[in-house]
Amino acid sequence: KRTQQSIRNYFNVK
Amino acid sequence: MFEARLISATILKKILDAIKDLLNEGTFDCSDSGIQLQAMDNSHVSLVSLTLRSDGFDKFRCDRNISMGMNLGSMAKILKCANNDDTVTIKAQDNADTVTFMFESPNHEKVSDYEMKLMNLDQEHLGIPETDYSCVVRMPSMEFARICRDLAQFSESMLICCTKEGVKFSASGDVGSANVKLAQTSSVDKEEEAVSIEMQEPVTLTFACRYLNAFTKASPLSGQVQLSMSADVPLVVEYRIQDLGHIRYYLAPKIED
């Protein structure tokens, strides 16, 4: 089973 | 004072079509270098980044940096009122709470203007790091759209596997499985028809078909699409907008639990 990641896990909030 | 003019409304209509399925609203950040929009979709799975350079506009003036929050559904309603060959001018005063879209027919005999209320959007800005991608695939945008549409019938997710031999798109579900392999083209009549692969390391990643299909709404903007991939980082799907800028979509992968 694969889980959808959030884009926020990869890019820092400025 | 902000004023930006494009010779043809078509390009703006296409840009809006490319983002309005993913975003309900967005902030257009305007400076003397151009217009930028960066926003995540509602579920924070993908990020849209639009860049329009000031030198790509027929006329561009931006005395002070302004951020204009717009409801994209409302903007779409307004752009529907423009003919494709109309000139479009976007205007706003400094610190204004409205933006005006002015459409002029080619013979200048019909001039319409539509004023739209701006919104105060509290949006997070994400810093996107410079990344050297393991694989960069360039291919015809219509081909990519076709593959995403076809494979979405089989599964919610699609596997993209890139090696030096080519790129393979796969999906499997209850109905069965589907595989589409594209090899790098050796020679083509038109540059737009080429498939090219730059590979440092092979990559296999899984992505949600729904988002890939949403990104392909940008296909009318460009004959080619570029897919940049590295293991365990978001995919970048880029459409260049000739002489004006680009739209990039970042999509978080699906990973094994």
Side-chain angles (χ1 to χ4, degrees), chain A residues 3-4 6-8 10 12 14, chain B residues 44 124-125 127 252 255 257:
Chain A
T3 312
Q4 176 64 63
S6 162
I7 197 80
R8 299 170 79 206
Y10 298 92
N12 294 326
K14 268 188 194 172
Chain B
H44 294 183
E124 284 175 321
H125 241 70
I255 61 168
D257 282 337

Side-chain angles (χ1 to χ4, degrees), chain B residues 48-94:
Chain B
V48 180
S49 174
L50 169 72
T51 298
L52 305 174
R53 293 188 313 269
S54 53
D55 59 20
F57 287 83
D58 179 47
K59 182 184 174 186
F60 194 92
R61 177 183 164 186
C62 184
D63 301 336
R64 285 178 59 185
N65 291 1
I66 56 166
S67 292
M68 298 191 288
M70 299 195 203
N71 178 302
L72 301 181
S74 307
M75 191 177 164
K77 281 181 190 170
I78 289 174
L79 287 180
K80 261 190 198 163
C81 306
N83 284 319
N84 284 342
D85 58 356
D86 281 353
T87 296
V88 54
T89 308
I90 309 167
K91 284 194 281 194
Q93 300 295 329
D94 293 339

Side-chain angles (χ1 to χ4, degrees), chain B residues 30-47:
Chain B
C30 308
S31 68
D32 56 7
S33 62
I35 302 174
Q36 283 214 304
L37 174 146
Q38 195 212 73
M40 284 182 279
D41 71 276
N42 284 338
S43 46
H44 294 183
V45 168
S46 69
L47 178 79

Side-chain angles (χ1 to χ4, degrees), chain B residues 28-213:
Chain B
F28 292 79
D29 295 314
C30 308
S31 68
D32 56 7
S33 62
I35 302 174
Q36 283 214 304
L37 174 146
Q38 195 212 73
M40 284 182 279
D41 71 276
N42 284 338
S43 46
H44 294 183
V45 168
S46 69
L47 178 79
V48 180
S49 174
L50 169 72
T51 298
L52 305 174
R53 293 188 313 269
S54 53
D55 59 20
F57 287 83
D58 179 47
K59 182 184 174 186
F60 194 92
R61 177 183 164 186
C62 184
D63 301 336
R64 285 178 59 185
N65 291 1
I66 56 166
S67 292
M68 298 191 288
M70 299 195 203
N71 178 302
L72 301 181
S74 307
M75 191 177 164
K77 281 181 190 170
I78 289 174
L79 287 180
K80 261 190 198 163
C81 306
N83 284 319
N84 284 342
D85 58 356
D86 281 353
T87 296
V88 54
T89 308
I90 309 167
K91 284 194 281 194
Q93 300 295 329
D94 293 339
N95 303 317
D97 54 5
T98 61
V99 59
T100 299
F101 294 88
M102 186 173 80
F103 307 131
E104 283 175 275
S105 65
N107 59 15
H108 305 291
E109 284 169 3
K110 180 181 174 188
V111 180
S112 355
D113 61 80
Y114 297 85
E115 196 181 71
M116 186 175 84
K117 287 179 195 138
L118 292 173
M119 310 166 76
N120 263 326
L121 299 172
D122 190 19
Q123 285 183 330
E124 284 175 321
H125 241 70
L126 299 183
I128 302 164
E130 282 288 321
T131 307
D132 285 327
Y133 289 94
S134 302
C135 293
V136 177
V137 178
R138 291 186 189 83
M139 62 187 286
S141 59
M142 290 310 291
E143 185 68 82
F144 181 60
R146 178 68 202 257
I147 291 168
C148 292
R149 192 191 73 188
D150 290 350
L151 267 56
Q153 300 184 100
F154 295 87
S155 173
E156 285 179 0
S157 318
M158 184 196 296
L159 206 71
I160 305 179
C161 174
C162 187
T163 64
K164 63 179 186 303
E165 280 76 38
V167 57
K168 185 170 84 170
F169 303 87
S170 312
S172 62
D174 297 341
V175 177
S177 64
N179 291 289
V180 181
K181 283 183 236 170
L182 289 181
Q184 190 157 206
T185 47
S186 45
S187 69
V188 284
D189 292 340
K190 292 183 203 156
E191 217 172 292
E192 287 204 339
E193 292 166 4
V195 176
S196 72
I197 296 163
E198 285 167 31
M199 192 209 73
Q200 315 299 326
E201 273 179 87
V203 172
T204 300
L205 287 164
T206 305
F207 299 103
C209 294
R210 187 161 80 85
Y211 290 94
L212 294 172
N213 268 311

